[in-house]
């Protein structure tokens, strides 16, 4: 298959692309810079220049491909305060892919997330996100719209990823927590730290995207979850070991100052199952657990 991948040189895309190529697929990667273009070419992919805002490029390339994996998201503006703007740009891209692929029965795989999907009990692939007026709901609504493309002759699926897609080179949530612990001199958690976050290793997640584009049925919801829920205190303890700093509870009234933008997320209890995904596609994660990955030390041996 000739597969168009957006976000192809990013944290996850740089694992998805070689997995696809090693499995015999041809990859067309979207690159917004010369550096990204060179990395994709070195990996053996065809390069198309553009961004997720270049809707003509997205539509034309999708129409000439056998399938699309959409990983790109404007994280730069999302984490600088304009999550709604990033999510709305994502929706425009998904709508463009839908128009290009309608009636073809070709696969379209969208990356989304599981964080906060269902608080307090284990969420499954059958649980749909709540849609309201919040910026986060814009992205949730996009995932629902992607699934609805199945009714328009698109073999669409959504891979909902763990918030901690970990591995060597990660600049996401785990790296941010390490940076907070390094800056404050303590590795903190909220409450008793028993609340849980799901996790998956980057290479396991990459393999799931390949399986999805190869054989996920239309309208499938898939969970990129290897561990249903890792207690935040265990994560804090691993960070404490790695940095050799004390591990301590942070008072709720001090959370915003201590954890900054992470404070609203760190207390969530959001366990998630991937049982249905494993049964459907035969996906079995083989990478290290999150704590094992932290204990390898690579999160602490580089600047954050």
């Amino acid at each position: 298959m000739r597969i168009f991948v957006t976000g192809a040189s990013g944290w996850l895309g740089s694992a998805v692309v070689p997995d696809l190529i090693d499995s015999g697929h041809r990859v067309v990667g979207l690159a917004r810079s010369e550096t990204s273009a060179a990395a994709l070419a070195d990996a053996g992919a065809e390069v198309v220049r553009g961004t997720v805002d270049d809707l003509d490029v997205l539509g034309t390339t999708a129409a000439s491909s056998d399938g699309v994996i959409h990983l790109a998201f404007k994280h730069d503006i999302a984490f600088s305060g304009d999550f709604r703007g990033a999510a709305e740009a994502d929706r425009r891209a998904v709508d463009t892919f839908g128009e290009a692929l309608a009636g073809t029965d070709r696969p379209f795989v969208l990356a989304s997330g599981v964080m906060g999907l269902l608080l307090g009990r284990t969420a499954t692939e059958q649980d749909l996100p709540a849609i309201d007026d919040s910026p986060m709901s814009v992205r949730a609504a996009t995932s629902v719209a992607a699934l609805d493309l199945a009714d328009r002759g698109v073999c669409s699926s959504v891979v909902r990823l763990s918030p901690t897609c970990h591995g060597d080179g990660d600049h996401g949530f785990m790296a941010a927590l390490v940076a907070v612990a390094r800056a404050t001199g303590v590795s903190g958690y909220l409450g008793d730290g028993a609340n849980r976050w799901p996790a998956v290793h980057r290479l396991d997640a990459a393999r799931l995207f390949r399986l999805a584009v190869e054989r996920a049925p239309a309208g499938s919801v898939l969970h990129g979850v290897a561990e249903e829920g890792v207690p935040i205190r265990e994560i804090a303890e691993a960070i404490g070991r790695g940095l050799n700093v004390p591990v301590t509870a942070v008072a709720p009234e001090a959370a915003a100052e201590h954890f900054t933008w992470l404070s609203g997320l760190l207390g969530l209890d959001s366990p998630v199952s991937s049982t249905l995904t494993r049964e459907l596609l035969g996906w079995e994660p083989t990478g290290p657990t999150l704590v094992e990955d932290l204990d390898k030390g690579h999160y602490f041996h580089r600047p954050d």
Side-chain angles (χ1 to χ4, degrees):
M1 295 172 64
R2 183 176 188 264
I3 302 172
F4 179 33
V5 181
T6 71
S9 62
W11 166 239
L12 186 54
S14 59
V16 170
V17 168
D19 191 283
L20 289 169
I21 292 173
D22 289 347
S23 297
H25 299 290
R26 292 177 295 145
V27 173
V28 182
L30 184 69
R32 63 178 181 174
S33 69
E34 290 291 346
T35 300
S36 295
L40 287 172
D42 288 345
E46 179 185 339
V47 177
V48 61
R49 291 297 301 271
T51 74
V52 292
D53 293 320
D54 294 319
L55 301 183
D56 288 344
V57 172
L58 299 186
T60 300
T61 309
S64 64
S65 300
D66 299 313
V68 175
I69 298 177
H70 180 41
L71 305 175
F73 191 75
K74 300 173 79 169
H75 290 99
D76 50 349
I77 70 169
F79 290 125
S80 64
D82 189 15
F83 190 94
R84 183 179 294 275
E88 289 174 346
D90 189 50
R91 177 58 183 268
R92 291 191 291 270
V94 169
D95 288 345
T96 298
F97 289 132
E99 289 298 322
L101 299 174
T104 67
D105 292 322
R106 296 175 191 165
F108 170 64
V109 185
L110 172 67
S112 189
V114 299
M115 177 61 87
L117 179 63
L118 187 67
L119 299 179
R121 69 174 178 84
T122 303
T124 77
E125 293 88 341
Q126 295 176 330
D127 291 305
L128 293 177
I131 307 296
D132 54 31
D133 294 329
S134 69
M136 291 292 289
S137 280
V138 178
R139 194 174 192 192
T142 297
S143 70
V144 174
L147 295 174
D148 289 344
L149 291 174
D151 295 329
R152 298 179 57 199
V154 180
C155 190
S156 59
S157 60
V158 172
V159 176
R160 300 196 296 211
L161 286 166
S162 302
T164 49
C165 186
H166 56 90
D168 194 356
D170 175 19
H171 289 280
F173 286 124
M174 289 303 103
L177 284 173
V178 170
V180 169
R182 181 177 283 126
T184 61
V186 299
S187 181
Y189 55 89
L190 294 174
D192 61 4
N195 61 298
R196 298 152 292 176
W197 278 15
V200 66
H201 191 271
R202 169 177 173 254
L203 298 182
D204 287 323
R207 189 167 67 257
L208 178 57
F209 276 95
R210 173 175 58 81
L211 293 174
V213 80
E214 288 176 341
R215 59 176 189 261
S220 298
V221 175
L222 308 167
H223 279 178
V225 172
E227 297 178 87
E228 289 192 0
V230 184
I232 294 296
R233 182 165 182 165
E234 291 184 12
I235 296 171
E237 288 170 346
I239 293 173
R241 290 193 297 273
L243 293 177
N244 193 28
V245 298
V247 179
T248 184
V250 175
E253 59 271 19
E257 180 179 358
H258 186 90
F259 294 110
T260 63
W261 63 272
L262 282 165
S263 61
L265 300 171
L266 199 61
L268 294 179
D269 184 37
S270 188
V272 177
S273 168
S274 60
T275 298
L276 298 179
T277 297
R278 299 180 195 221
E279 292 174 351
L280 180 66
L281 297 181
W283 176 66
E284 286 299 331
T286 59
T289 67
L290 175 56
V291 170
E292 288 171 347
D293 211 6
L294 286 166
D295 283 341
K296 288 183 177 183
H298 53 78
Y299 276 94
F300 315 108
H301 295 160
R302 58 181 175 79
D304 296 298

